[in-house]
Amino acid sequence: MDEMEMQILEIVQKKHNETGGNNENGFADFDHILNMSLEVRNAFLQRMADEKKITIRISPNARMIMLPK
């Protein structure tokens, strides 16, 4: 696992712990770490989801990231 993945998982874990798993992170919550174009950022996060490191949930207003159940 690379440094960016570890930082993303730390942010997701922190939100999970603070809310008891009831709230998720938005894609923009990781822009300061990833510093990538939207297309590359989305592909990076999708790869993490494909590898079951995170889960992407599509809500009516946004795509949200949480820990896998």
Side-chain angles (χ1 to χ4, degrees):
M1 186 175 325
D2 69 22
E3 181 68 26
M4 285 192 295
E5 286 181 358
M6 289 190 318
Q7 290 178 351
I8 288 169
L9 291 174
E10 284 176 18
I11 291 171
V12 175
Q13 184 68 53
K14 182 179 179 200
K15 175 78 89 166
H16 180 84
N17 292 344
E18 289 173 351
T19 67
N22 294 319
N23 291 318
E24 301 93 12
N25 295 88
F27 273 41
D29 292 346
F30 310 104
D31 285 343
H32 68 284
I33 295 170
L34 297 176
N35 196 23
M36 303 171 173
S37 69
L38 291 178
E39 185 176 284
V40 174
R41 178 202 69 186
N42 292 350
F44 181 85
L45 293 171
Q46 184 61 53
R47 180 182 56 77
M48 287 185 69
D50 292 344
E51 293 172 357
K52 309 284 190 237
K53 295 176 181 174
I54 59 173
T55 298
I56 298 174
R57 185 177 71 83
I58 301 173
S59 73
N61 297 320
R63 290 182 295 169
M64 305 301 288
I65 296 172
M66 59 187 167
L67 293 176
K69 292 187 179 190

